[in-house]
Amino acid sequence: MNGVLTSGTAELAPLPRAYFERDALVVARALVGARLVVRPAGGAAAPRVARIVETEAYRGPRDLACHARVGLTKRTRTLYGPPGHAYVFLIYGMYDCFNVVSFAHGKGHAVLVRAVEPVSGLAADESTAGPGRLTRALEITRADDAVDLVSGERIFIAARDRRPRIAVSARVGVAYAGEWADRPWRFYDRDSAHVSRPPRRSIGRHGERG
DNA sequence: CATATGATTCCA
DNA sequence: GGAATCATATGA
């Protein structure tokens, strides 16, 4: 299984390991517009394909919003593992969050995927805006923790087919992290209607554009 | 062992 | 505004 798929005329192939071997801040920005592909268990059903429209960078133990702040534990084993693997964790006892381990083995960097927009193979009525919603729609669970995203077997990420207009903001839901919560480490597609927390709609000509 | 809490979502 | 719901982290 090399993971190569065809979607119309576009080829979907897994991004290489080197793509993920960069600071999470770089990977987070690069992933906006990339496509997330999930092969349903069993392999009979069509792959689910979605375009990533919102991400956040988490940058290791010094970043007090990052799970890596507690050091290497059973939970953070994957986060501290090699880049290009999925780090999936349960949040609030109810939702699974999908992350991509980045930078280098032992660094504790990851990129949280916060929203995607459906491309193919997804139920049209299910929302994919929000980290808990997209995993539910794509059927990504903690069972997928530590899967290799480069092998192309179960989950992989394919390059963007066009360059999105990217906006930046502070990360969501990390107020406990003090000054780290204010870092502009959230990236989203300005033109997507599937971002989890859209910017305030500007009224008139004085509104900022993202 | 006991307790607090979270990279969220949904409902009133 | 508040509940749901539970694995993880931390302290007794």
Side-chain angles (χ1 to χ4, degrees):
Chain A
M1 307 227 165
N2 59 11
V4 177
L5 296 171
T6 53
S7 175
T9 57
E11 181 179 87
L12 294 177
L15 287 163
R17 185 84 53 202
Y19 181 95
F20 306 103
E21 292 173 334
R22 298 178 288 174
D23 191 302
L25 197 59
V26 175
V27 178
R29 178 182 280 274
L31 281 177
V32 176
R35 282 158 295 172
L36 178 58
V37 183
V38 181
R39 299 179 191 275
R48 304 176 211 278
V49 183
R51 185 170 174 274
I52 297 170
V53 297
E54 180 183 350
T55 64
E56 284 176 357
Y58 288 85
R59 303 179 71 199
R62 283 188 35 210
D63 173 7
L64 296 186
C66 182
H67 289 172
R69 69 185 177 274
V70 300
L72 179 58
T73 65
K74 180 177 179 182
R75 184 198 199 188
T76 61
R77 180 184 174 84
T78 305
L79 176 58
Y80 273 105
H85 289 247
Y87 168 49
V88 185
F89 64 88
L90 179 70
I91 188 65
Y92 296 112
M94 273 171 281
Y95 303 101
D96 293 292
C97 289
F98 172 77
N99 303 254
V100 180
V101 178
S102 300
F103 204 15
H105 192 295
K107 290 290 190 181
H109 279 221
V111 175
L112 170 67
V113 178
R114 287 191 54 89
V116 300
E117 57 184 36
V119 173
S120 61
L122 284 160
D125 57 341
E126 192 166 15
S127 173
T128 55
R133 290 173 175 163
L134 76 90
T135 53
R136 193 172 56 193
L138 291 168
E139 297 186 8
I140 294 171
T141 72
R142 280 164 290 159
D144 296 304
D145 182 52
V147 304
D148 187 2
L149 302 174
V150 176
S151 73
E153 293 188 11
R154 158 72 178 152
I155 306 173
F156 69 89
I157 297 172
R160 48 161 78 124
D161 52 0
R162 58 194 165 85
R163 172 176 280 275
R165 297 198 306 156
I166 295 176
V168 183
S169 82
R171 295 172 293 182
V172 175
V174 295
Y176 61 86
E179 63 179 31
W180 295 90
D182 301 325
R183 302 293 165 95
W185 293 351
R186 170 174 177 254
F187 302 90
Y188 60 94
D189 183 340
R190 287 160 76 171
D191 302 305
S192 176
H194 296 261
V195 173
S196 73
R197 295 177 66 159
R200 283 193 59 157
R201 192 70 64 90
S202 59
I203 308 295
R205 69 188 61 177
H206 297 294
E208 45 106 13
R209 297 265 289 158

Short mmCIF file of all heavy atoms in Angstrom, two decimals, chain A residues 67 99 114 132-133 176, chain B residues 5-10:
data_model
loop_
_atom_site.label_atom_id
_atom_site.label_comp_id
_atom_site.label_asym_id
_atom_site.label_seq_id
_atom_site.Cartn_x
_atom_site.Cartn_y
_atom_site.Cartn_z
N HIS A 67 0.52 19.66 25.70
CA HIS A 67 0.53 18.50 26.60
C HIS A 67 1.94 18.07 26.98
O HIS A 67 2.14 17.42 28.00
CB HIS A 67 -0.20 17.32 25.95
CG HIS A 67 -1.68 17.52 25.86
ND1 HIS A 67 -2.51 16.67 25.18
CD2 HIS A 67 -2.48 18.49 26.38
CE1 HIS A 67 -3.77 17.08 25.28
NE2 HIS A 67 -3.77 18.19 25.99
N ASN A 99 -4.01 15.16 16.05
CA ASN A 99 -2.81 16.00 15.91
C ASN A 99 -1.77 15.29 15.05
O ASN A 99 -1.78 14.07 14.92
CB ASN A 99 -2.15 16.23 17.27
CG ASN A 99 -3.06 16.85 18.29
OD1 ASN A 99 -2.92 18.01 18.62
ND2 ASN A 99 -3.98 16.08 18.83
N ARG A 114 -8.00 21.57 13.69
CA ARG A 114 -9.22 22.05 14.33
C ARG A 114 -10.45 22.07 13.43
O ARG A 114 -11.58 22.13 13.93
CB ARG A 114 -9.00 23.46 14.90
CG ARG A 114 -8.14 23.53 16.14
CD ARG A 114 -8.23 24.92 16.75
NE ARG A 114 -9.60 25.31 16.98
CZ ARG A 114 -10.26 25.04 18.11
NH1 ARG A 114 -9.66 24.45 19.12
NH2 ARG A 114 -11.52 25.39 18.23
N GLY A 132 -13.39 18.21 17.75
CA GLY A 132 -14.16 17.04 18.14
C GLY A 132 -15.11 16.58 17.05
O GLY A 132 -15.43 15.40 16.93
N ARG A 133 -15.56 17.53 16.27
CA ARG A 133 -16.51 17.20 15.20
C ARG A 133 -15.82 16.53 14.02
O ARG A 133 -16.36 15.61 13.42
CB ARG A 133 -17.20 18.47 14.72
CG ARG A 133 -18.18 19.05 15.71
CD ARG A 133 -18.68 20.37 15.20
NE ARG A 133 -19.73 20.92 16.07
CZ ARG A 133 -20.10 22.19 16.04
NH1 ARG A 133 -19.53 23.03 15.21
NH2 ARG A 133 -21.04 22.61 16.82
N TYR A 176 -5.72 28.80 30.37
CA TYR A 176 -4.96 28.38 31.55
C TYR A 176 -3.45 28.55 31.37
O TYR A 176 -2.70 28.51 32.33
CB TYR A 176 -5.27 26.92 31.89
CG TYR A 176 -4.87 25.96 30.78
CD1 TYR A 176 -3.58 25.47 30.69
CD2 TYR A 176 -5.80 25.59 29.80
CE1 TYR A 176 -3.20 24.63 29.65
CE2 TYR A 176 -5.44 24.75 28.77
CZ TYR A 176 -4.14 24.27 28.70
OH TYR A 176 -3.77 23.45 27.67
P DT B 5 -9.85 22.75 39.30
OP1 DT B 5 -9.06 23.99 39.47
OP2 DT B 5 -11.33 22.76 39.49
"O5'" DT B 5 -9.54 22.15 37.87
"C5'" DT B 5 -8.21 21.75 37.56
"C4'" DT B 5 -8.21 21.12 36.18
"O4'" DT B 5 -8.65 19.75 36.25
"C3'" DT B 5 -9.15 21.82 35.18
"O3'" DT B 5 -8.50 21.87 33.92
"C2'" DT B 5 -10.32 20.88 35.09
"C1'" DT B 5 -9.59 19.54 35.21
N1 DT B 5 -10.45 18.39 35.54
C2 DT B 5 -10.12 17.16 35.00
O2 DT B 5 -9.15 17.00 34.28
N3 DT B 5 -10.95 16.15 35.34
C4 DT B 5 -12.07 16.22 36.14
O4 DT B 5 -12.73 15.22 36.37
C5 DT B 5 -12.36 17.53 36.68
C7 DT B 5 -13.55 17.72 37.55
C6 DT B 5 -11.54 18.54 36.35
P DG B 6 -8.35 23.23 33.11
OP1 DG B 6 -7.20 24.00 33.60
OP2 DG B 6 -9.68 23.87 33.04
"O5'" DG B 6 -7.97 22.67 31.67
"C5'" DG B 6 -6.86 21.79 31.53
"C4'" DG B 6 -7.22 20.71 30.54
"O4'" DG B 6 -8.20 19.82 31.09
"C3'" DG B 6 -7.82 21.24 29.23
"O3'" DG B 6 -7.44 20.35 28.19
"C2'" DG B 6 -9.32 21.09 29.47
"C1'" DG B 6 -9.33 19.77 30.21
N9 DG B 6 -10.51 19.51 31.02
C8 DG B 6 -11.27 20.41 31.71
N7 DG B 6 -12.24 19.86 32.38
C5 DG B 6 -12.12 18.50 32.10
C6 DG B 6 -12.87 17.39 32.54
O6 DG B 6 -13.85 17.38 33.28
N1 DG B 6 -12.41 16.19 32.00
C2 DG B 6 -11.32 16.08 31.15
N2 DG B 6 -11.01 14.86 30.75
N3 DG B 6 -10.60 17.11 30.75
C4 DG B 6 -11.05 18.28 31.26
P DA B 7 -6.14 20.83 27.34
OP1 DA B 7 -5.39 19.62 27.07
OP2 DA B 7 -5.48 22.03 27.96
"O5'" DA B 7 -6.79 21.27 25.97
"C5'" DA B 7 -7.35 22.56 25.82
"C4'" DA B 7 -7.62 22.83 24.35
"O4'" DA B 7 -6.35 22.86 23.66
"C3'" DA B 7 -8.43 21.77 23.63
"O3'" DA B 7 -9.07 22.36 22.50
"C2'" DA B 7 -7.35 20.77 23.19
"C1'" DA B 7 -6.24 21.74 22.80
N9 DA B 7 -4.90 21.19 23.03
C8 DA B 7 -4.16 21.25 24.17
N7 DA B 7 -3.00 20.68 24.08
C5 DA B 7 -2.95 20.21 22.77
C6 DA B 7 -1.98 19.51 22.04
N6 DA B 7 -0.81 19.17 22.55
N1 DA B 7 -2.27 19.19 20.77
C2 DA B 7 -3.47 19.54 20.28
N3 DA B 7 -4.46 20.21 20.86
C4 DA B 7 -4.14 20.52 22.11
P DT B 8 -10.60 22.98 22.79
OP1 DT B 8 -11.06 23.43 21.48
OP2 DT B 8 -10.51 23.91 23.92
"O5'" DT B 8 -11.48 21.72 23.20
"C5'" DT B 8 -11.66 20.62 22.32
"C4'" DT B 8 -13.11 20.22 22.19
"O4'" DT B 8 -13.75 20.20 23.48
"C3'" DT B 8 -13.95 21.18 21.32
"O3'" DT B 8 -14.51 20.43 20.27
"C2'" DT B 8 -15.01 21.73 22.28
"C1'" DT B 8 -15.08 20.66 23.36
N1 DT B 8 -15.51 21.16 24.68
C2 DT B 8 -16.49 20.46 25.36
O2 DT B 8 -17.03 19.48 24.91
N3 DT B 8 -16.81 20.98 26.59
C4 DT B 8 -16.28 22.09 27.19
O4 DT B 8 -16.65 22.45 28.29
C5 DT B 8 -15.24 22.77 26.43
C7 DT B 8 -14.58 23.99 27.00
C6 DT B 8 -14.91 22.28 25.24
P DT B 9 -15.41 21.13 19.08
OP1 DT B 9 -15.20 20.37 17.85
OP2 DT B 9 -15.19 22.57 19.10
"O5'" DT B 9 -16.90 20.83 19.57
"C5'" DT B 9 -17.27 19.47 19.77
"C4'" DT B 9 -18.59 19.37 20.48
"O4'" DT B 9 -18.49 19.90 21.81
"C3'" DT B 9 -19.76 20.11 19.79
"O3'" DT B 9 -20.73 19.13 19.50
"C2'" DT B 9 -20.23 21.12 20.84
"C1'" DT B 9 -19.73 20.51 22.14
N1 DT B 9 -19.46 21.46 23.24
C2 DT B 9 -20.04 21.23 24.46
O2 DT B 9 -20.79 20.30 24.68
N3 DT B 9 -19.72 22.15 25.43
C4 DT B 9 -18.88 23.24 25.30
O4 DT B 9 -18.66 23.99 26.24
C5 DT B 9 -18.30 23.42 23.99
C7 DT B 9 -17.37 24.58 23.73
C6 DT B 9 -18.61 22.53 23.04
P DC B 10 -22.02 19.55 18.62
OP1 DC B 10 -22.34 18.39 17.77
OP2 DC B 10 -21.86 20.90 18.03
"O5'" DC B 10 -23.13 19.65 19.76
"C5'" DC B 10 -23.33 18.54 20.64
"C4'" DC B 10 -24.31 18.93 21.72
"O4'" DC B 10 -23.65 19.80 22.68
"C3'" DC B 10 -25.53 19.69 21.20
"O3'" DC B 10 -26.71 19.10 21.69
"C2'" DC B 10 -25.34 21.11 21.73
"C1'" DC B 10 -24.51 20.87 23.00
N1 DC B 10 -23.69 22.04 23.36
C2 DC B 10 -23.61 22.43 24.70
O2 DC B 10 -24.23 21.78 25.55
N3 DC B 10 -22.88 23.52 25.03
C4 DC B 10 -22.23 24.20 24.08
N4 DC B 10 -21.52 25.25 24.46
C5 DC B 10 -22.29 23.81 22.71
C6 DC B 10 -23.02 22.73 22.39
#
